[in-house]
Amino acid sequence: MADAAPTPPRPTLPALGLRFLRFGALAWGGPVAQIGALHHELVVRERWVDERRFRQVLAVYQALPGPEATEMCIWFGTLARGRLGGLVAGLAFVLPGLSLMLLASWLLLGREWPPLLSAAFTGLQAAVVALVARAAWRLWRSAVHGDAALRGIAIV
Protein backbone atom coordinates (compact mmCIF):
# COMPACT_ATOMS: atom_id res chain seq x y z
CA MET A 1 0.00 0.00 0.00
CA ALA A 2 1.45 3.38 -0.99
CA ASP A 3 1.88 6.15 1.53
CA ALA A 4 -0.76 8.84 1.39
CA ALA A 5 0.35 12.20 0.01
CA PRO A 6 1.49 14.53 2.77
CA THR A 7 -0.86 17.35 3.69
CA PRO A 8 -0.08 20.58 5.48
CA PRO A 9 -1.88 21.39 8.72
CA ARG A 10 -4.61 24.05 8.85
CA PRO A 11 -3.47 26.38 11.65
CA THR A 12 -5.39 29.52 12.46
CA LEU A 13 -4.21 32.62 10.60
CA PRO A 14 -2.60 34.10 13.75
CA ALA A 15 -0.78 30.79 14.41
CA LEU A 16 0.37 30.68 10.78
CA GLY A 17 1.57 34.27 11.02
CA LEU A 18 3.54 33.55 14.21
CA ARG A 19 5.05 30.48 12.60
CA PHE A 20 6.41 32.42 9.63
CA LEU A 21 7.35 35.40 11.80
CA ARG A 22 9.60 32.94 13.66
CA PHE A 23 11.09 31.75 10.36
CA GLY A 24 11.78 35.35 9.39
CA ALA A 25 13.38 36.14 12.74
CA LEU A 26 15.57 33.02 12.89
CA ALA A 27 16.50 32.46 9.24
CA TRP A 28 19.83 34.29 9.08
CA GLY A 29 22.25 33.73 6.26
CA GLY A 30 20.35 34.59 3.11
CA PRO A 31 18.16 32.50 0.86
CA VAL A 32 20.12 29.25 1.11
CA ALA A 33 19.85 29.23 4.91
CA GLN A 34 16.22 30.39 4.83
CA ILE A 35 15.14 27.78 2.29
CA GLY A 36 17.16 25.18 4.19
CA ALA A 37 15.26 26.02 7.39
CA LEU A 38 11.91 25.85 5.61
CA HIS A 39 12.87 22.55 4.02
CA HIS A 40 14.10 21.00 7.24
CA GLU A 41 11.08 21.96 9.31
CA LEU A 42 8.17 21.82 6.86
CA VAL A 43 9.29 19.04 4.50
CA VAL A 44 11.58 16.77 6.51
CA ARG A 45 10.13 17.09 10.01
CA GLU A 46 6.46 17.93 9.47
CA ARG A 47 5.89 16.56 5.94
CA TRP A 48 3.74 19.39 4.57
CA VAL A 49 4.83 18.21 1.09
CA ASP A 50 7.13 15.52 -0.25
CA GLU A 51 10.70 16.11 -1.48
CA ARG A 52 9.77 15.89 -5.15
CA ARG A 53 7.07 18.56 -4.91
CA PHE A 54 9.31 20.84 -2.83
CA ARG A 55 12.12 20.61 -5.42
CA GLN A 56 9.70 21.32 -8.26
CA VAL A 57 8.32 24.43 -6.58
CA LEU A 58 11.79 25.62 -5.58
CA ALA A 59 13.00 25.23 -9.18
CA VAL A 60 10.13 27.40 -10.42
CA TYR A 61 10.77 30.11 -7.82
CA GLN A 62 14.49 30.12 -8.57
CA ALA A 63 13.71 30.78 -12.22
CA LEU A 64 11.33 33.65 -11.42
CA PRO A 65 12.51 37.11 -10.37
CA GLY A 66 12.31 37.92 -6.68
CA PRO A 67 13.37 36.43 -3.37
CA GLU A 68 12.69 32.71 -3.52
CA ALA A 69 12.65 32.21 0.27
CA THR A 70 9.79 34.70 0.59
CA GLU A 71 8.04 33.12 -2.37
CA MET A 72 8.36 29.70 -0.71
CA CYS A 73 6.83 31.07 2.50
CA ILE A 74 3.91 32.48 0.53
CA TRP A 75 3.47 29.11 -1.20
CA PHE A 76 3.52 27.21 2.11
CA GLY A 77 1.05 29.70 3.61
CA THR A 78 -1.22 29.27 0.60
CA LEU A 79 -1.05 25.49 0.99
CA ALA A 80 -2.11 25.76 4.60
CA ARG A 81 -4.76 28.50 4.46
CA GLY A 82 -5.39 29.62 0.87
CA ARG A 83 -4.62 33.06 -0.54
CA LEU A 84 -5.05 34.84 2.78
CA GLY A 85 -2.68 32.32 4.37
CA GLY A 86 -0.11 33.08 1.67
CA LEU A 87 -0.42 36.81 2.34
CA VAL A 88 -0.11 36.34 6.11
CA ALA A 89 2.89 33.97 5.80
CA GLY A 90 4.71 36.23 3.33
CA LEU A 91 4.21 39.41 5.35
CA ALA A 92 5.13 37.70 8.61
CA PHE A 93 8.30 36.28 7.07
CA VAL A 94 9.58 39.64 5.78
CA LEU A 95 8.60 41.71 8.85
CA PRO A 96 11.66 40.86 11.02
CA GLY A 97 14.12 41.57 8.20
CA LEU A 98 12.35 44.79 7.26
CA SER A 99 12.37 45.96 10.87
CA LEU A 100 16.06 45.18 11.32
CA MET A 101 16.93 46.84 8.00
CA LEU A 102 15.10 50.03 8.99
CA LEU A 103 16.74 50.03 12.44
CA ALA A 104 20.21 49.41 11.00
CA SER A 105 19.70 52.13 8.39
CA TRP A 106 18.72 54.60 11.08
CA LEU A 107 21.63 53.59 13.36
CA LEU A 108 24.19 53.76 10.56
CA LEU A 109 23.04 57.06 9.14
CA GLY A 110 26.08 59.30 9.53
CA ARG A 111 27.38 57.51 12.61
CA GLU A 112 30.58 55.61 13.26
CA TRP A 113 30.25 52.23 14.93
CA PRO A 114 31.75 51.69 18.38
CA PRO A 115 34.60 49.13 18.34
CA LEU A 116 32.60 46.60 20.38
CA LEU A 117 29.73 46.67 17.88
CA SER A 118 32.14 46.28 14.97
CA ALA A 119 33.70 43.25 16.68
CA ALA A 120 30.26 41.74 17.32
CA PHE A 121 29.32 42.04 13.65
CA THR A 122 32.63 40.51 12.59
CA GLY A 123 31.90 37.52 14.81
CA LEU A 124 28.38 37.27 13.44
CA GLN A 125 29.75 36.96 9.91
CA ALA A 126 31.44 33.67 10.82
CA ALA A 127 28.22 32.33 12.35
CA VAL A 128 26.25 33.26 9.24
CA VAL A 129 28.77 31.52 6.98
CA ALA A 130 28.39 28.36 9.11
CA LEU A 131 24.58 28.55 8.85
CA VAL A 132 24.73 28.94 5.08
CA ALA A 133 27.17 26.04 4.72
CA ARG A 134 24.96 23.78 6.87
CA ALA A 135 21.81 24.68 4.93
CA ALA A 136 23.58 24.23 1.58
CA TRP A 137 24.77 20.79 2.65
CA ARG A 138 21.23 19.75 3.68
CA LEU A 139 19.76 20.98 0.40
CA TRP A 140 22.56 19.25 -1.51
CA ARG A 141 21.83 15.92 0.18
CA SER A 142 18.09 16.13 -0.49
CA ALA A 143 18.34 17.36 -4.10
CA VAL A 144 21.29 15.42 -5.54
CA HIS A 145 20.69 11.74 -4.78
CA GLY A 146 23.83 10.11 -6.12
CA ASP A 147 23.28 11.14 -9.72
CA ALA A 148 26.74 12.03 -11.06
CA ALA A 149 25.33 14.33 -13.76
CA LEU A 150 23.29 16.28 -11.22
CA ARG A 151 26.28 16.57 -8.90
CA GLY A 152 28.41 17.93 -11.76
CA ILE A 153 25.77 20.49 -12.71
CA ALA A 154 25.36 21.57 -9.08
CA ILE A 155 29.11 22.00 -8.60
CA VAL A 156 29.44 24.06 -11.77
Side-chain angles (χ1 to χ4, degrees), residues 51-149:
E51 289 285 340
R52 185 180 141 278
R53 182 73 176 140
F54 177 82
R55 286 193 308 267
Q56 287 173 338
V57 171
L58 179 58
V60 169
Y61 287 140
Q62 286 178 326
L64 294 175
E68 54 275 344
T70 302
E71 293 162 347
M72 293 295 292
C73 288
I74 293 168
W75 179 70
F76 276 116
T78 303
L79 278 178
R81 295 294 305 202
R83 289 182 186 145
L84 188 55
L87 180 66
V88 167
L91 289 174
F93 179 74
V94 300
L95 186 62
L98 173 66
S99 301
L100 286 173
M101 183 181 63
L102 291 173
L103 177 64
S105 296
W106 177 76
L107 288 173
L108 297 175
L109 200 62
R111 295 183 176 96
E112 190 163 326
W113 289 19
L116 186 59
L117 188 59
S118 290
F121 276 109
T122 300
L124 259 175
Q125 289 173 354
V128 169
V129 167
L131 288 171
V132 170
R134 181 176 179 225
W137 175 247
R138 281 183 175 169
L139 285 174
W140 169 273
R141 285 190 340 209
S142 73
V144 186
H145 293 288
D147 184 336

Side-chain angles (χ1 to χ4, degrees), residues 9-20 48 77 80-81 84-86 88-89:
R10 287 212 26 103
T12 64
L13 286 173
L16 185 71
L18 287 173
R19 178 83 185 266
F20 284 91
W48 284 34
R81 295 294 305 202
L84 188 55
V88 167

Side-chain angles (χ1 to χ4, degrees), residues 36-52:
L38 290 168
H39 175 265
H40 181 70
E41 192 161 328
L42 301 180
V43 178
V44 175
R45 286 183 45 209
E46 296 182 20
R47 297 202 21 87
W48 284 34
V49 295
D50 60 26
E51 289 285 340
R52 185 180 141 278

